[in-house]
């Protein structure tokens, strides 16, 4: 199919937030343009006043205050705000496939988490088949239903369902960057305990806390650190939290990425 015909049923969010919207146009104008996808183009007003309420309600789902910036040029937004807008724009039309081309790679850790949570919400609500290209293994494992790993154009790993769950339990990774590998919205107890709860759904809170504390003590941290968030720690301390999380599932293989 020619590219223009494929574009009718495919939405795409690029790695660079600037690629998904027009900098010199306002949020309102960008959304109005996207709203006209797959519809006849002719002479008329750019923005329909009847649709402004709909656009506002869409922006509210982002939870980052974009609904209060309707008349602000998109070029003045932050990278995270702009990528969230790009994600909304890509899904305004009825599409069959959403392609996410490393859409969190250029964002700071907090913005990346926000955009991924919004992505997860949109994909589940709309039931859209989604292909996410990423080097962030945590996002791939946490949000993906099928994990495909490629090398030099060849598929070297293809896991889904129980296979993927077992793989995530047996193979864990210590990431190079401690500032992007920990969820800033979760406490240390939640970060380290997440894997334990996934693979031991019936575990009590008391047992979970004991297991988390034991792992933290192994890496030189203590009970006082359990209720804190990752931004309260130094880079070295964050990496130790990451190591504790890695050990939580008793993996058979640990990959230490630099």
């Amino acid at each position: 199919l020619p590219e223009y015909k494929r574009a009718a049923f495919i939405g795409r969010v690029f790695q660079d937030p600037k690629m998904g919207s027009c900098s010199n146009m306002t949020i309102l104008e960008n959304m109005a343009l996207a709203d006209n996808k797959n519809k006849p183009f002719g002479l008329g007003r750019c923005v329909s006043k009847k649709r402004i309420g709909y656009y506002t309600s869409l922006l509210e789902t982002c939870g980052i205050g974009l609904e209060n910036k309707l008349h602000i040029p998109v070029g003045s937004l932050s990278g995270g705000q702009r990528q969230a807008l790009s994600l909304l724009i890509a899904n305004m039309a009825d599409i069959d496939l959403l392609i996410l081309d490393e859409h969190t790679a250029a964002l700071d850790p907090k913005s990346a988490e926000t955009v991924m949570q919004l992505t997860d919400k949109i994909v589940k609500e709309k039931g859209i088949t989604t292909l996410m290209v990423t080097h962030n293994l945590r996002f791939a494992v946490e949000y993906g239903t099928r994990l495909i790993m490629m090398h030099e154009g060849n598929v070297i790993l293809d896991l889904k369902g129980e296979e993927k769950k077992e793989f995530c339990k047996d193979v864990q990774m210590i990431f190079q960057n401690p500032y992007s590998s920990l969820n800033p919205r979760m406490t240390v107890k939640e970060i380290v305990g997440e894997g334990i709860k996934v693979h031991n759904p019936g575990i009590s809170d008391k047992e979970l806390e004991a297991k988390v504390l034991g792992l933290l003590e192994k890496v030189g941290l203590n009970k006082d650190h359990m209720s804190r968030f990752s931004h309260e720690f130094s880079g070295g301390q964050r990496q130790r939290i990451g190591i504790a999380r890695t050990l939580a599932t008793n993996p058979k293989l640990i990959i230490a990425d630099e």
Side-chain angles (χ1 to χ4, degrees):
L1 282 176
E3 185 175 348
Y4 75 93
K5 287 188 176 181
R6 294 198 303 270
F9 58 86
I10 295 176
R12 183 174 180 181
V13 183
F14 299 88
Q15 179 178 351
D16 185 350
K18 296 192 292 293
M19 296 289 289
S21 54
C22 300
S23 299
N24 295 327
M25 297 171 65
T26 65
I27 291 178
L28 182 60
E29 290 167 341
N30 270 275
M31 296 187 77
L33 189 63
D35 199 16
N36 207 46
K37 180 177 179 177
N38 297 335
K39 298 175 184 176
F41 279 83
L43 294 177
R45 290 186 177 275
C46 173
V47 179
S48 170
K49 292 182 179 179
K50 295 179 181 178
R51 300 290 283 171
I52 293 178
Y54 169 64
Y55 300 154
T56 301
S57 65
L58 280 181
L59 293 168
E60 286 174 347
T61 63
C62 296
I64 52 177
L66 290 178
E67 66 275 10
N68 300 317
K69 301 174 186 270
L70 273 175
H71 303 288
I72 292 178
V74 169
S76 65
L77 300 178
S78 69
Q81 290 173 323
R82 194 157 178 175
Q83 199 68 309
L85 177 63
S86 297
L87 186 61
L88 287 181
I89 285 174
N91 288 280
M92 285 182 68
D94 291 326
I95 56 175
D96 298 322
L97 175 65
L98 174 64
I99 299 175
L100 306 173
D101 185 10
E102 297 196 57
H103 72 312
T104 62
L107 306 179
D108 63 86
K110 187 174 182 179
S111 295
E113 291 289 344
T114 299
V115 170
M116 271 310 310
Q117 288 167 8
L118 178 61
T119 301
D120 189 49
K121 180 181 178 182
I122 290 174
V123 170
K124 287 179 177 176
E125 286 181 352
K126 288 180 168 278
I128 305 170
T129 299
T130 304
L131 173 64
M132 181 172 75
V133 181
T134 182
H135 285 91
N136 189 317
L137 187 58
R138 182 172 70 82
F139 284 167
V141 168
E142 185 175 338
Y143 292 100
T145 55
R146 182 177 178 183
L147 179 65
I148 297 176
M149 193 174 294
M150 303 188 71
H151 178 65
E152 296 182 349
N154 299 310
V155 175
I156 60 173
L157 188 68
D158 186 353
L159 301 172
K160 56 185 175 181
E162 285 300 314
E163 283 184 333
K164 175 177 170 286
K165 186 177 179 180
E166 284 303 310
F167 173 81
C168 296
K169 179 178 184 296
D170 294 338
V171 180
Q172 290 288 312
M173 191 165 183
I174 302 171
F175 298 92
Q176 178 182 5
N177 186 354
Y179 292 92
S180 63
S181 62
L182 303 179
N183 189 331
R185 299 175 186 271
M186 297 171 69
T187 64
V188 170
K189 179 183 175 181
E190 291 169 335
I191 291 171
V192 178
E194 187 175 31
I196 299 172
K197 289 176 69 176
V198 167
H199 298 287
N200 301 276
I203 192 170
S204 68
D205 289 339
K206 188 175 182 180
E207 290 175 311
L208 177 64
E209 185 167 322
K211 282 183 177 292
V212 171
L213 179 57
L215 289 165
L216 291 177
E217 289 176 341
K218 280 185 178 180
V219 297
L221 299 174
N222 57 56
K223 188 174 182 178
D224 293 338
H225 296 126
M226 292 178 70
S227 60
R228 299 183 190 177
F229 294 88
S230 59
H231 70 267
E232 300 178 63
F233 296 90
S234 67
Q237 289 174 316
R238 291 188 193 200
Q239 198 66 298
R240 281 189 271 168
I241 295 168
I243 293 170
R245 177 183 61 187
T246 298
L247 298 172
T249 61
N250 294 315
K252 296 177 182 177
L253 173 65
I254 296 175
I255 301 172
D257 182 16
E258 297 189 50

